[in-house]
Every structure is written in structure tokens, then in C-alpha cells.
Amino acid sequence: MTITGATAPDGAGSPGSPSGSADRGGSADTSRPGLPGSYLIWLAGTQVGALGDAALYFALGWAAAAHGGGAAGLVLTAITVSRTVLVLLGGAVADRWGARRVMLTGDAVMLAATLTLAVAAGGRGTPLRLLVVAAVVVGVVDAFYLPASGSMPRRLVEPGQLPRALALRQAVCQMAALLGAPIGGALVAVGGLPVAALADAVSFAVLLLVLLRVRVRGDAELAPATPETAPAKGGAGERGAEAAVVVPGLLREAAAGVRSAAGDRLLRAALLLAGAAAGVLLPVGSLLVPLLAREHGWGAGAAGLVTGGQGAGVLAVAVLLSLRGGRGRGGSRRRSGRAASGARSGVRSGGGPGAVAGVGLGAAALGVAVLAWAPDPGVAVLGGVVTGVGSGLFAGRLGPLVLAAAPVGHLSRVQALLTLVQSAALVVSTGLLGLLADAAGARVPTVLCASATAAAGLAALGSRALRPSGRPER
């Protein structure tokens, strides 16, 4: 799970090509039309895919655990490391060749890979080598798929509806996270890893059909043609020369995406905040709650209830935001080279997303502090719920801000950078917090996470870049 994607706008246009009032520059339609049918169809497909993925991840972890704790850690690390190393390149690929094309390719590759895994596991069992190879394939495909998928809401909905669209997506992802492990457990109980892999293969087949059905707006439809979004020109000779240097070109484009985000005041502040929040909030449920439960002698059931309470809090806020949408109803102004300059002003006006995100982090810090000092499982579950509510509020406000602020030609690369900063922060903080827990007990790193989350919340409240008036339109 990620903080902002964990985390994620339609007018009078057709579902496949929305053209609501936010794009025209007038005041937004206060009747708040529903989300486009194309987005809802895509979201339903992603829910099926997320359930299949969650079930497969559980099955991989379960099979790896049979080889020992070190082997289980190796398999999970193989997914994370391969994804983190390649994600910036994946964003550049999606921006160059199109998010839909990359997603179709990724679904086709995973369909073949899961079918192969099912056959191999059914015939040879689950040797560690097979599990590691499967994990690497999953991580590599994720590196290209996640940035493309992250840009889809911007391509399917109007800017003014991004908060609602991303909140609904967050709710769907949270539902998959809550249901995926039990489904995976049931599938493993029925037929082990082969059955779970077959189920995931079915989910990828569904996703392929959905993507073939859904029409996605390209960069040229999101904004006027600019040097960064205009299609490449030239004859076959020029295209061949370009193909000969495709990898260096993609690396340069990935670096350009980093420079673009680093040079943008709003994106820079939002990405730093997302990374900080991921580093101190995500380890709470995955690492510190089990350690606290063991120290107190509460048992695995209590730890599961605390983690479930955190997920329920995230889900409740995501559902509420998807029903209410963003507060910003102001008009929009186009800016050259940006598809959603109106989204910037609309998302940022009136509601103060930076302030709301800061309040969310403050609530999450309170919940983590309750977890640290909880005398019994009941209080710990309450702390988990408060932590989830704060995390959901933070993600529900920061996610639309990042997606709306991304330059049109860099949509997938910004999403890749968002994935990278959160993954890198999580990898570093999880190891350090684990070492601290071994040395001083689980309460000390939990209190440290609460303090760091509160500090991040104060930083969000004080950030001029995240205020409605903090960044003039360029």
C-alpha cells in the first residue's frame, strides 16, 4: 500500500471524452455530475485485478514462508527492489508510448506469467528459485504498469472531479487490500499456489478486456501541442535512428521527469511530504503493530484487528471523499503546456488541500501515539482506526494535488517518481525501525513514528507551496 495512491473530475461530454465546465474556464457545475462511465468501467476492472494480485502476493508469501523467514523476506524484497529500480524508466516508457499501450502489454505479460507459474508450481511444487523469479517478474511489470495506471484518472475524468475519482480509487484499492488476503488464503487452502496463480490470470484477462473497451485520452487531447507533447516527426530513417538510441533516450526522459518535478515548487513539496509520510506511517501496520502485539502478548488475532481497524479508517474516509468530492468549485484558467491548470486552481482553491493533508497527518500521529501506549487490544484498535482516518484524509487530499499538478507530457513520470519516493522511504525506514525495536522495544520506534508524523503534518500546514495562494500560475 502507498500513502497517496493508496491513493487517488465529468461534464457534458461523453464518457470516453469528457468535456466538462472546468475545462472551459467558467464556474464549475454545482450539480456535480457523476464520474464518467469509462472511468467506472476501468475502476471495476482494476478492482478485479487488485483482488487477484493481493491473492497471488499472499500465496507467494505463504509458499516462501515454507522455506523459512529469510526466504520469505527474499521473495518480498525481490518484488520491491525490482519495482523501485525500474519505476522511473517505466514512467518514461508510459509517457513516450502511451499509458494504455503499456498497461495492455503489462496485462498480457502477467497473463502469460501467471499461467506459466500455475503450470510450473503444479508440476514441480514451489522451489525457492521459482518463487524468486516470479517475484522479480511481478516487480518488473509493476515498475512499468503502476506509473501508467496512476495517470489514468487524469486521462479519463475532468480536472474538477479528480478528488472524487481518486478517493473512489483509494476505496477500491483498500477493499482489495482487506479482501485479498482472505481470498488468497481460501485459494491456497483449496489448491495452493497453482490455484491462486490461475485466479490472478483470470483477473488479468478481465483487465485486458476492460482496457480494450475503454477509450483513453492522449496527451494531445489533454493540452495543446507543445515541444514535450507533440508527436515525433520524420521519415522511416529518422524513426530507425531513434530506435537505435531508445534506451539512452528513455533514461534522458526519466531524468527530465525528475528535473521537472524537482523544479516545480508544488510538486517538490508534495513529493517530499508523501515520501516522509510513507516512511513513518506505512511501517506502523506492517512492522510495528505485530511487534507491539507480541510484546504485550496479545496474539496474532489482536494484531490483525488493529491492522484491520487502520484499513477500515482509510476506507471510510475514501468512501466519504468519493461521495462528497473536493471542496474546490472555482473556475479554471488554462496555462500553456499544462492539461489541468484549471485543476490546480480548482483543487487548490477554497479547500486548502495542503492544510487538510496536514490535519490528516496530525490525526494519524495521534492514532499512532495511542497505539504506542495502548494498555489493551481494544484501545489499540481505536488507535488503528484513528491512524487510518488520518492517513486516508492525507492521501485523499494530496493525491489529486500531485496528479493535477503534473505536466501533461510527464503524467506517468510524476506518478513513477511518487512511487519511487514512497518505496525508497519505506525500504530505509523499515530497516532502521526494526533495528531500533530490537534495541529498545517496539514502543520507542512507534513513538518516534508518531512524532515524525506530527512534524510532517506541521510542515504541511506551514508550507506556502501547498497553500491556495502559495504558488502563482505560470
Side-chain angles (χ1 to χ4, degrees), residues 87-88 257-258 261-262 271 412-422:
V87 70
L88 288 180
V258 174
L271 290 170
S412 296
R413 276 171 282 182
V414 170
Q415 291 298 303
L417 192 57
L418 180 61
T419 300
L420 177 63
V421 296
Q422 293 182 99

Side-chain angles (χ1 to χ4, degrees), residues 28-117:
D29 183 1
T30 58
S31 65
R32 197 173 62 193
L35 294 169
S38 56
Y39 180 74
L40 297 177
I41 292 172
W42 173 75
L43 198 60
T46 62
Q47 169 73 339
V48 174
L51 285 172
D53 288 347
L56 179 64
Y57 295 160
F58 177 88
L60 283 173
W62 183 265
H67 297 277
L74 175 63
V75 170
L76 297 178
T77 300
I79 297 176
T80 303
V81 171
S82 54
R83 176 197 301 151
T84 302
V85 168
L86 294 173
V87 70
L88 288 180
L89 183 63
V93 169
D95 279 334
R96 176 181 284 198
W97 282 294
R100 182 171 177 269
R101 184 178 300 175
V102 169
M103 294 171 68
L104 284 168
T105 303
D107 288 332
V109 169
M110 285 305 300
L111 174 59
T114 48
L115 288 175
T116 302
L117 176 62

Side-chain angles (χ1 to χ4, degrees), residues 3-389:
I3 286 290
T4 59
T7 92
D10 175 346
S14 65
S17 179
S19 56
S21 59
D23 252 355
R24 298 191 194 100
S27 61
D29 183 1
T30 58
S31 65
R32 197 173 62 193
L35 294 169
S38 56
Y39 180 74
L40 297 177
I41 292 172
W42 173 75
L43 198 60
T46 62
Q47 169 73 339
V48 174
L51 285 172
D53 288 347
L56 179 64
Y57 295 160
F58 177 88
L60 283 173
W62 183 265
H67 297 277
L74 175 63
V75 170
L76 297 178
T77 300
I79 297 176
T80 303
V81 171
S82 54
R83 176 197 301 151
T84 302
V85 168
L86 294 173
V87 70
L88 288 180
L89 183 63
V93 169
D95 279 334
R96 176 181 284 198
W97 282 294
R100 182 171 177 269
R101 184 178 300 175
V102 169
M103 294 171 68
L104 284 168
T105 303
D107 288 332
V109 169
M110 285 305 300
L111 174 59
T114 48
L115 288 175
T116 302
L117 176 62
V119 172
R124 300 184 178 181
T126 55
L128 183 58
R129 180 182 301 177
L130 174 64
L131 301 178
V132 171
V133 170
V136 170
V137 171
V138 169
V140 170
V141 173
D142 274 357
F144 292 85
Y145 198 94
L146 293 178
S149 178
S151 72
M152 286 290 281
R154 175 88 172 261
R155 301 179 188 278
L156 291 173
V157 303
E158 291 291 346
Q161 288 184 317
L162 272 178
R164 290 179 61 206
L166 291 182
L168 184 59
R169 187 185 182 205
Q170 184 183 25
V172 164
C173 292
Q174 194 61 42
M175 283 290 292
L178 291 174
L179 298 177
I183 292 175
L187 292 173
V188 169
V190 170
L193 180 60
V195 172
L198 281 176
D200 202 22
V202 172
S203 75
F204 283 113
V206 171
L207 271 173
L208 274 171
L209 294 176
V210 168
L211 283 172
L212 291 172
R213 163 69 174 83
V214 171
R215 179 184 177 273
V216 179
R217 292 184 297 174
D219 293 345
E221 297 174 84
L222 291 173
T226 66
E228 71 177 3
T229 63
K233 298 180 180 179
E238 293 180 20
R239 289 194 296 269
E242 180 185 357
V245 293
V246 62
V247 173
L250 287 174
L251 293 176
R252 285 194 297 269
E253 291 173 22
V258 174
R259 289 194 300 271
S260 174
D264 186 297
R265 186 182 179 191
L266 189 156
L267 282 176
R268 184 172 64 247
L271 290 170
L272 288 174
L273 187 61
V280 295
L281 277 180
L282 293 182
V284 171
S286 60
L287 174 69
L288 297 179
V289 167
L291 292 176
L292 286 169
R294 285 183 176 276
E295 283 193 2
H296 290 293
W298 292 341
L305 287 176
V306 174
T307 304
Q310 185 175 350
V314 174
L315 177 61
V317 172
V319 170
L320 180 62
L321 290 177
S322 69
L323 294 176
R324 294 188 58 195
R327 291 189 178 183
R329 303 293 182 198
S332 63
R333 294 169 295 171
R334 289 190 179 274
R335 183 172 67 229
S336 175
R338 298 272 181 169
S341 59
R344 271 185 189 262
S345 69
V347 172
R348 298 183 58 186
S349 64
V356 178
V359 170
L361 288 177
L366 176 62
V368 176
V370 171
L371 281 174
W373 298 99
D376 56 65
V379 176
V381 170
L382 176 62
V385 171
V386 175
T387 302
V389 168

